[in-house]
Amino acid sequence: MYMAAGDARRLPLSNSSVDLVVTSPPYWQKRDYGFPQQIGRERTVEEYVASLLSVLSELRRVLTASGSVFLNIGDTYVDGSLAGVPSHLEIAARRAGWLIPNRIVWAKPSGMPSPHRTRLVARHEAIFHLTPNADYFYDLDGYLQSMDDRVDSGDVWTIPLRPNKTRHLAPFPPEIAERAIHLACPRRACVRCGRPERRRVEATAELNPARPQARRAMELARERGITDDHIRAIRATGICDAGKAQQWQTGAGKNTDLIQVLAAEAKEKLGGYFREFTFPLRKTVGFQPSCRCRQGMRRGIVLDPFAGTGTSLQVAASMKRIGIGFDYEVEHLQLAEAQAVGAEAIPGNAGHAAA
Ligand SMILES: C[S@@+](CC[C@H](N)C(=O)[O-])C[C@H]1O[C@@H](n2cnc3c(N)ncnc32)[C@H](O)[C@@H]1O
């Protein structure tokens, strides 16, 4: 893990050198970090969003072509109304050319009560997944396999708030970084072109035993004599019977009569549970480079330009990625160093590497 003092708008990193950014910038008008270059004290929400856009433009410079940003942002009340900070940022980022594959809702299952009697307590924040290019690295299989039954493929992340250990910093649950890294930071990338290693997966005959509906579907299949041919037929016809798998089709874009008969039989025996068999359990069979450079691989690199106490970087190190962080406030870096685990220096860069 590597951390140094620096302004998020001017990072001492080369172009196309980072695979993923996971960050939580200072929220608008929430706290005063006490230095003039700080982001978050702007007079208007428009000025604040303009500051974040200059950070995003710097992030676009340092990201590889397949890179992504996961940015956690909260809203602020002004004169009894939400200022709409996440919405302003989302629109401005789209106008600046960013793609937004997801606006993830971070739902907090509990929290402090509020003194306000005229509105509900805010228990969610936005996490934007932003990317400059449509061909971004994304490992949904890795995410689902590694996080077991803690997650599904939905865009609502229910993650409890961790108690704030320090006086200065907003708590940032490590699980947000963990999820973002599983999804969008390759384990390794080519040292020459930066292209990511890709996971190779194969569909199995099994279903995901973590899903209760899938467990019931497998039970029914055993009880009612469903064969592998039935399951292949269900997968070939899919939910709407329109035909999915080319290898089971006649060549005229249609399923053979036998496939239709087997699928109908299986659907009759399984009722609504037949749908479960259209989502087979996928297993990892290996990893492979996505380029032909053959120059060797480096670990995936995660950047946090508002590193604070270094949560994202510590998670990155624990997941065998390289974590790089900057924060304008050196005091925060010292706190981060004190808390660092699994730290790792990056040769050739100035600054301090926490051990
Ligand atoms: C919300 S905190 C980050 C919390 C962090 N996610 C954590 O887990 O501790 C925001 C951080 O941004 C830093 N900051 C504010 N303006 C900055 C700027 N222009 N460049 C770099 N860091 C800045 C603050 O010092 C603060 O540590």
Side-chain angles (χ1 to χ4, degrees):
M1 166 168 138
Y2 169 86
M3 291 193 68
D7 191 320
R9 290 162 285 206
R10 282 176 294 281
L11 298 168
L13 295 173
S14 19
N15 295 350
S16 311
S17 56
V18 165
D19 299 300
L20 172 69
V21 175
V22 182
T23 196
S24 174
Y27 295 172
W28 184 52
Q29 293 292 357
K30 280 289 163 76
R31 66 187 69 206
D32 186 353
Y33 288 101
F35 52 91
Q37 298 82 354
Q38 68 178 306
I39 288 174
R41 302 298 294 173
E42 293 79 355
R43 245 178 355 98
T44 64
V45 66
E46 287 80 9
E47 286 170 23
Y48 170 69
V49 166
S51 300
L52 289 184
L53 276 191
S54 51
V55 175
L56 282 177
S57 139
E58 180 66 342
L59 297 181
R60 187 190 295 234
R61 180 185 71 76
V62 301
L63 277 177
T64 60
S66 55
S68 282
V69 176
F70 279 68
L71 184 143
N72 164 222
I73 188 95
D75 212 333
T76 301
Y77 277 93
V78 178
D79 299 333
S81 170
L82 286 169
V85 176
S87 314
H88 275 83
L89 177 64
E90 185 173 354
I91 292 165
R94 275 300 291 139
R95 288 204 177 120
W98 287 84
L99 307 177
I100 309 178
N102 281 122
R103 179 197 315 112
I104 295 160
V105 173
W106 166 23
K108 306 168 198 177
S110 60
M112 295 285 287
S114 151
H116 297 284
R117 308 305 304 162
T118 53
R119 64 184 194 229
L120 300 175
V121 188
R123 294 260 163 82
H124 76 278
E125 290 181 17
I127 301 169
F128 288 115
H129 175 195
L130 306 152
T131 177
N133 298 309
D135 187 21
Y136 54 92
F137 173 84
Y138 205 68
D139 186 11
L140 187 60
D141 282 302
Y143 171 73
L144 295 172
Q145 286 171 19
S146 309
M147 305 224 32
D148 304 319
D149 50 356
R150 283 190 288 156
V151 299
D152 62 16
S153 49
D155 63 0
V156 177
W157 291 1
T158 304
I159 302 176
L161 258 184
R162 299 225 314 182
N164 195 351
K165 286 195 209 141
T166 70
R167 266 187 312 118
H168 299 288
L169 300 173
F172 184 61
E175 192 177 326
I176 291 182
E178 185 188 358
R179 291 186 185 218
I181 293 170
H182 278 308
L183 281 171
C185 182
R187 294 182 336 154
R188 303 190 310 155
C190 171
V191 286
R192 183 158 170 267
C193 71
R195 288 215 180 83
E197 183 183 76
R198 303 244 178 217
R199 182 184 299 270
R200 286 174 42 237
V201 289
E202 272 173 11
T204 67
E206 298 295 304
L207 303 183
N208 182 355
R211 287 171 47 80
Q213 304 93 311
R215 285 202 301 274
R216 179 69 190 131
M218 287 190 285
E219 237 171 63
L220 279 178
R222 271 192 302 275
E223 283 166 15
R224 299 186 182 170
I226 294 293
T227 63
D228 286 353
D229 283 344
H230 282 118
I231 291 173
R232 277 196 283 270
I234 292 176
R235 289 183 183 159
T237 55
I239 293 175
C240 63
D241 292 343
K244 270 167 96 183
Q246 291 297 327
Q247 70 266 32
W248 287 89
Q249 293 177 351
T250 57
K254 290 196 174 132
N255 287 308
T256 60
D257 289 346
L258 176 62
I259 293 301
Q260 300 286 17
V261 169
L262 282 171
E265 207 173 279
K267 287 175 189 180
E268 174 77 32
K269 288 183 180 202
L270 293 170
Y273 283 96
F274 86 89
R275 288 190 184 83
E276 290 297 324
F277 287 94
T278 60
F279 303 108
L281 187 68
R282 289 149 69 88
K283 76 166 194 275
T284 301
V285 291
F287 292 86
Q288 67 188 36
S290 50
C291 65
R292 299 212 172 130
C293 297
R294 296 179 198 281
Q295 300 287 306
M297 306 294 276
R298 57 152 176 83
R299 286 187 187 192
I301 296 179
V302 178
L303 164 70
D304 187 345
F306 299 101
T309 53
T311 309
S312 309
L313 313 181
Q314 288 161 26
V315 176
S318 73
M319 294 172 70
K320 298 195 162 50
R321 284 10 178 233
I322 295 170
I324 306 179
F326 296 92
D327 199 291
Y328 211 92
E329 182 55 81
V330 177
E331 191 193 331
H332 297 168
L333 300 177
Q334 286 158 354
L335 276 170
E337 285 187 357
Q339 291 176 16
V341 286
E344 174 177 4
I346 301 183
N349 276 309
H352 32 226

